[in-house]
Amino acid sequence: MTGNHSSRADLSSLLGIDIEPALLELALTHRSFAYENGGVATNERLEFLGDSILGQAVTVMLFTEHPDLDEGELAKRRASLVSTVALAEIARHIGLGQYLRVGRGEELTGGRDKSSMLADTVEAIIGAAYLARGGDEATALVHRLIAPLLADPERFGATMDPKTSLQELSAHRNLGAPTYVIVDSGPDHLKRFQATVLLQDREIATGVGSSKKQAEVAAALDAWTQLSREAR
């Protein structure tokens, strides 16, 4: 799926910012698509730019809105909000996966829902917003994107530390301690890890990542989400 102009217009509307179609398309272009289509440009430079803008916007927001927090707590909250887990959560909230331009290999292996790919694309879109509309509107976009997490304290806590949050929730529900089963695939320089969370020998959720820790964190957040829904 390469996306079309109407779907990109839908995404611009969803984001609440007008980004030129060609620039937005670039922000959505993963290197796997570029590789399979004659080396077209990828979103990696935009991702580099967006990462910096995201970090600054979140830092200023936390500093301004939480005068009572010390440097250590501010750093912890910032790390949570700019983490792969949080950005992937944001991407899924707006349905970003359907708009990605990915290669056939990634398409077949569920690339549209990979946390790392979704998180990278969110950063690329923030970079594109900066180029299209400047710093103020890019910062406003960051605030809109992270608002759903900040509006849900329980969920924000879970994204800050998914493994601890899952452990606390499972203990509260007398389900015992979660265990993780890890499998890896791919060559050494491009390893992918999949973690499966077990509670009382029952498979609850899985997560993928470029490291064991990243996969476990993704799986823990998914498991926490499922258990939380069951409790409602």
Side-chain angles (χ1 to χ4, degrees):
M1 174 176 167
T2 61
N4 55 47
H5 290 290
S6 62
S7 66
R8 289 195 294 273
D10 291 344
L11 180 57
S12 273
S13 177
L14 196 61
L15 295 169
I17 189 168
D18 187 20
I19 301 173
E20 292 83 351
L23 185 57
L24 184 56
E25 183 174 271
L26 177 60
L28 298 169
T29 303
H30 185 255
R31 64 177 176 269
S32 61
F33 179 90
Y35 178 76
E36 292 182 14
N37 289 272
V40 300
T42 77
N43 63 4
E44 290 174 353
R45 280 174 53 85
L46 287 175
E47 175 197 335
F48 172 79
L49 177 61
D51 175 64
S52 178
I53 295 158
L54 170 68
Q56 181 185 43
V58 169
T59 299
V60 172
M61 183 205 71
L62 289 173
F63 182 88
T64 304
E65 295 186 5
H66 298 281
D68 55 320
L69 297 182
D70 62 22
E71 183 269 346
E73 184 62 25
L74 288 171
K76 181 180 177 183
R77 293 196 182 197
R78 178 179 62 191
S80 169
L81 285 169
V82 303
S83 70
T84 296
V85 170
L87 295 179
E89 178 83 357
I90 288 164
R92 293 186 181 105
H93 181 74
I94 62 175
L96 185 60
Q98 65 184 302
Y99 299 101
L100 302 187
R101 303 174 86 207
V102 301
R104 180 168 172 76
E106 285 289 351
E107 186 80 71
L108 294 173
T109 56
R112 291 183 185 281
D113 195 49
K114 285 181 181 174
S115 294
S116 57
M117 190 182 300
L118 289 170
D120 290 347
T121 306
V122 170
E123 290 179 337
I125 287 173
I126 293 167
Y130 177 86
L131 292 180
R133 294 290 171 255
D136 288 348
E137 288 208 34
T139 296
L141 172 61
V142 171
H143 290 174
R144 288 196 299 276
L145 289 173
I146 66 176
L149 282 181
L150 296 175
D152 186 345
E154 282 192 13
R155 183 137 206 106
F156 182 50
T159 60
M160 285 182 75
D161 191 348
K163 292 181 71 174
T164 299
S165 294
L166 175 61
Q167 192 165 346
E168 291 172 350
L169 181 58
S170 60
H172 177 70
R173 297 186 58 188
N174 297 315
L175 296 173
T179 57
Y180 298 84
V181 178
I182 309 288
V183 295
D184 62 70
S185 59
D188 287 342
H189 69 285
L190 206 61
K191 275 261 188 269
R192 298 291 300 173
F193 296 87
Q194 178 172 300
T196 301
V197 185
L198 303 175
L199 283 171
Q200 297 178 333
D201 295 326
R202 179 167 71 101
E203 289 189 10
I204 305 298
T206 60
V208 296
S210 55
S211 68
K212 291 180 181 179
K213 181 180 179 181
Q214 194 179 87
E216 287 180 354
V217 164
L221 182 60
D222 193 18
W224 180 91
T225 301
Q226 292 191 44
L227 289 182
S228 297
R229 285 174 182 157
E230 289 174 9
R232 288 172 185 167

Coordinates of all heavy atoms in Angstrom, one line a residue, residues 17 39 64 70 73-74 77 105 131 137 143 152 179 210 216 218 230:
I17 N -3.1 19.6 11.2 CA -2.1 20.5 10.6 C -2.0 20.2 9.1 O -2.1 19.1 8.7 CB -0.7 20.3 11.4 CG1 0.3 21.3 10.9 CG2 -0.2 18.9 11.2 CD1 1.6 21.3 11.8
G39 N 15.2 3.0 -4.5 CA 15.9 3.9 -3.7 C 15.3 5.3 -3.6 O 16.1 6.3 -3.5
T64 N 7.3 23.6 32.5 CA 6.3 24.7 32.7 C 5.1 24.3 33.6 O 4.7 25.0 34.5 CB 5.8 25.3 31.4 OG1 7.0 25.7 30.6 CG2 4.9 26.5 31.6
D70 N 11.1 17.7 40.7 CA 12.6 17.9 40.6 C 13.1 17.4 39.3 O 12.4 16.7 38.5 CB 13.3 17.2 41.8 CG 13.1 15.7 41.9 OD1 12.8 15.1 40.8 OD2 13.3 15.2 43.0
E73 N 12.6 13.5 38.5 CA 11.2 13.2 38.1 C 10.8 13.7 36.7 O 10.2 13.0 35.9 CB 10.2 13.6 39.1 CG 8.8 13.2 38.9 CD 8.6 11.7 38.9 OE1 9.4 11.0 39.5 OE2 7.6 11.3 38.2
L74 N 11.3 14.9 36.4 CA 11.1 15.5 35.1 C 11.7 14.6 34.0 O 11.1 14.4 33.0 CB 11.6 16.9 35.0 CG 10.9 18.0 35.8 CD1 11.7 19.3 35.8 CD2 9.5 18.2 35.2
R77 N 9.7 11.4 33.5 CA 8.5 11.6 32.7 C 8.8 11.9 31.2 O 8.1 11.4 30.3 CB 7.7 12.7 33.3 CG 7.1 12.4 34.7 CD 6.0 13.3 35.1 NE 5.6 13.0 36.5 CZ 4.4 13.4 37.0 NH1 3.6 14.1 36.2 NH2 4.1 13.0 38.2
G105 N 8.0 -7.0 2.1 CA 8.5 -7.9 3.2 C 7.9 -7.4 4.6 O 7.5 -8.3 5.4
L131 N 9.0 21.6 9.3 CA 9.3 22.2 8.0 C 8.2 22.9 7.3 O 8.3 23.9 6.6 CB 9.9 21.1 7.1 CG 11.2 20.4 7.5 CD1 11.6 19.4 6.5 CD2 12.3 21.5 7.6
E137 N 3.7 25.6 15.5 CA 2.7 24.6 15.1 C 3.2 23.2 15.3 O 2.4 22.3 15.6 CB 2.3 24.8 13.6 CG 1.4 26.0 13.5 CD 0.4 25.9 12.3 OE1 -0.1 24.8 12.0 OE2 0.2 27.0 11.7
H143 N 1.9 18.5 21.5 CA 1.0 18.6 22.6 C -0.3 17.8 22.3 O -0.8 17.1 23.2 CB 0.7 20.0 22.9 CG 1.9 20.8 23.5 ND1 1.9 22.1 23.8 CD2 3.1 20.3 23.9 CE1 3.0 22.5 24.3 NE2 3.8 21.4 24.3
D152 N -5.0 10.3 30.8 CA -5.3 9.0 31.4 C -4.2 8.6 32.3 O -3.2 8.0 31.9 CB -5.5 7.9 30.3 CG -6.0 6.6 30.9 OD1 -5.9 6.4 32.1 OD2 -6.5 5.8 30.1
T179 N 5.7 -14.0 33.5 CA 6.9 -14.4 32.9 C 7.0 -14.2 31.4 O 5.9 -14.0 30.8 CB 7.1 -16.0 33.2 OG1 6.0 -16.7 32.6 CG2 7.2 -16.3 34.6
S210 N 13.6 -4.4 18.7 CA 15.0 -4.6 18.2 C 15.9 -5.1 19.4 O 17.0 -5.3 19.2 CB 15.5 -3.3 17.6 OG 15.4 -2.3 18.5
E216 N 9.9 -7.0 25.5 CA 9.3 -7.3 26.8 C 8.4 -6.1 27.2 O 7.2 -6.3 27.7 CB 10.3 -7.6 27.9 CG 11.0 -8.9 27.8 CD 12.0 -9.2 28.9 OE1 12.2 -8.3 29.7 OE2 12.5 -10.3 28.9
A218 N 7.0 -3.8 25.2 CA 5.8 -3.8 24.3 C 4.8 -4.8 24.7 O 3.6 -4.6 24.7 CB 6.3 -3.9 22.9
E230 N -10.4 -6.2 30.9 CA -11.2 -7.2 31.5 C -11.8 -6.8 32.8 O -12.8 -7.3 33.2 CB -10.3 -8.5 31.7 CG -9.9 -9.2 30.4 CD -8.9 -10.3 30.6 OE1 -8.6 -10.6 31.7 OE2 -8.4 -10.8 29.6

